[in-house]
Amino acid sequence: MSEIFDTPPLLPDWASDDIDPTVPSIARIYDYALGGSHNFSVDRELAEQGRRRWPHSLRSAWTNRAFLRRAVIFCAERGIDQFLDIGSGIPTAGNVHEILADLDIDARVVYTDIDPVAVVMSRRILAEIPWATAIRADARDLDAIIADPEVYERLDFGKPVAVLLVALLHYIPDTADPHAMLAALRDRLAPGSVLVISHMTSADWPEQELADTLEMSKQTPTPLVMRALDEITELFDGFELVEPGLVRVPCWRPDPEEDTSATYFDTVGAIGVKPGS
Ligand SMILES: C[S@@+](CC[C@H](N)C(=O)[O-])C[C@H]1O[C@@H](n2cnc3c(N)ncnc32)[C@H](O)[C@@H]1O
């Protein structure tokens, strides 16, 4: 009898054995915020705890996704047809390859994420799409990402590539030296390459609220690191920011329906282009 009770609950088929369903993950929380179904109760509970405290918190995932879409369109309009999306998340609607397919662009896309569910689900939906793939990788080891055969066989780093670090870098602690990471990335990219970043900022947060948010995020394996606006700008060293520079994400070249009046968004974004011929 006790054996029955000792048997752990079965995980769904999208969850690999190395997943601990009792520990919330930011990829699954974000999936929940976007209306996806690849999350556990522990993720939903933390997301709802956040929403009770900050009612806009889940909505900002949608705003961030809308920025991603506008950024991909910007790159495609510049003629870029290679995309490296790092920290790409669990695919819901409006992923990079879908945006490009809607634009009828002949492109190549590599998604990378540290989260096993994000990678399993991405590979599933990409099974029939030869021009896009997903690999499991840690953004802190960019050299390994670029050296991965799935990356270098698809992306030609001698030509412009768009690197998307959308809502990723606020999970990369200072100890991992994101500036050095980005400098190394910049050196690998051809002139004309594009760097897209969105990042949560500590600007305007009351001290106690900021402390509470950071504390709450420690329940996940990738706690938040909010950065000041000048620190985020420094991440673009060696890239030229296109207009309007670093702004709250709804204000980056908004679509007509975008609500740019909301002042509570704590995620800023910008696009930089590597100069040169
Ligand atoms: C908030 S989600 C953003 C997803 C997607 N970029 C978007 O904007 O829709 C952040 C993603 O970054 C991933 N992530 C966090 N730390 C990472 C790391 N060190 N390496 C790779 N991915 C990471 C998480 O697993 C999660 O899927």
Side-chain angles (χ1 to χ4, degrees):
M1 235 4 219
S2 70
E3 264 178 37
I4 294 173
F5 292 111
D6 289 346
T7 305
L10 274 181
L11 290 176
D13 71 345
W14 43 262
S16 51
D17 292 343
D18 56 347
I19 287 178
D20 181 348
T22 66
V23 176
S25 109
I26 187 57
R28 299 191 312 256
I29 291 172
Y30 200 70
D31 172 72
Y32 174 67
L34 291 171
S37 54
H38 299 98
N39 45 73
F40 299 122
S41 60
V42 71
D43 307 307
R44 299 189 284 275
E45 274 159 28
L46 189 57
E48 289 302 338
Q49 199 183 330
R51 192 199 330 237
R52 280 194 293 281
R53 183 80 201 267
W54 302 278
H56 62 273
S57 59
L58 299 191
R59 195 173 144 209
S60 52
W62 287 100
T63 314
N64 185 63
R65 273 260 152 168
F67 167 72
L68 169 72
R69 188 179 149 277
R70 297 195 299 278
V72 170
I73 293 172
F74 167 87
C75 296
E77 284 173 350
R78 290 181 66 89
I80 293 189
D81 59 2
Q82 312 190 85
F83 291 79
L84 178 59
D85 185 356
I86 304 180
S88 46
I90 296 173
T92 48
N95 303 293
V96 174
H97 72 283
E98 291 168 317
I99 302 164
L100 293 165
D102 284 349
L103 295 172
D104 209 10
I105 303 273
D106 189 11
R108 278 154 290 154
V109 180
V110 179
Y111 295 107
T112 80
D113 204 287
I114 201 171
D115 187 282
V117 178
V119 178
V120 165
M121 289 313 300
S122 299
R123 290 185 80 95
R124 266 189 205 179
I125 64 162
L126 298 173
E128 307 292 319
I129 304 178
W131 50 274
T133 191
I135 59 165
R136 187 168 176 196
D138 188 332
R140 288 168 288 190
D141 193 356
L142 271 173
D143 281 345
I145 292 180
I146 291 173
D148 189 298
E150 297 229 44
V151 177
Y152 73 71
E153 280 167 12
R154 270 191 179 73
L155 306 182
D156 176 356
F157 283 87
K159 295 187 178 149
V161 175
V163 179
L164 313 174
L165 307 177
V166 178
L168 166 76
L169 292 170
H170 45 239
Y171 302 109
I172 305 293
D174 288 341
T175 49
D177 201 348
H179 289 96
M181 241 175 81
L182 283 166
L185 176 70
R186 182 197 58 223
D187 293 346
R188 299 294 296 266
L189 293 175
S193 292
V194 172
L195 176 65
V196 178
I197 293 178
S198 72
H199 197 304
M200 287 181 80
T201 177
S202 48
D204 303 335
W205 276 70
E207 206 174 309
Q208 189 56 52
E209 288 209 6
L210 182 61
D212 291 350
T213 306
L214 299 180
E215 194 54 39
M216 205 185 273
S217 78
K218 287 184 185 156
Q219 294 178 49
T220 72
T222 53
L224 270 174
V225 192
M226 302 267 216
R227 293 193 169 91
L229 293 176
D230 55 351
E231 290 178 288
I232 299 171
T233 305
E234 280 169 18
L235 297 169
F236 284 96
D237 275 355
F239 292 85
E240 286 171 357
L241 292 194
V242 300
E243 286 296 323
L246 184 72
V247 291
R248 293 187 192 276
V249 282
C251 301
W252 196 92
R253 303 194 184 187
D255 288 327
E257 68 275 14
E258 198 77 47
D259 178 7
T260 54
S261 63
T263 53
Y264 47 74
F265 284 108
D266 42 29
T267 302
V268 289
I271 294 189
V273 177
K274 180 166 172 176
S277 51

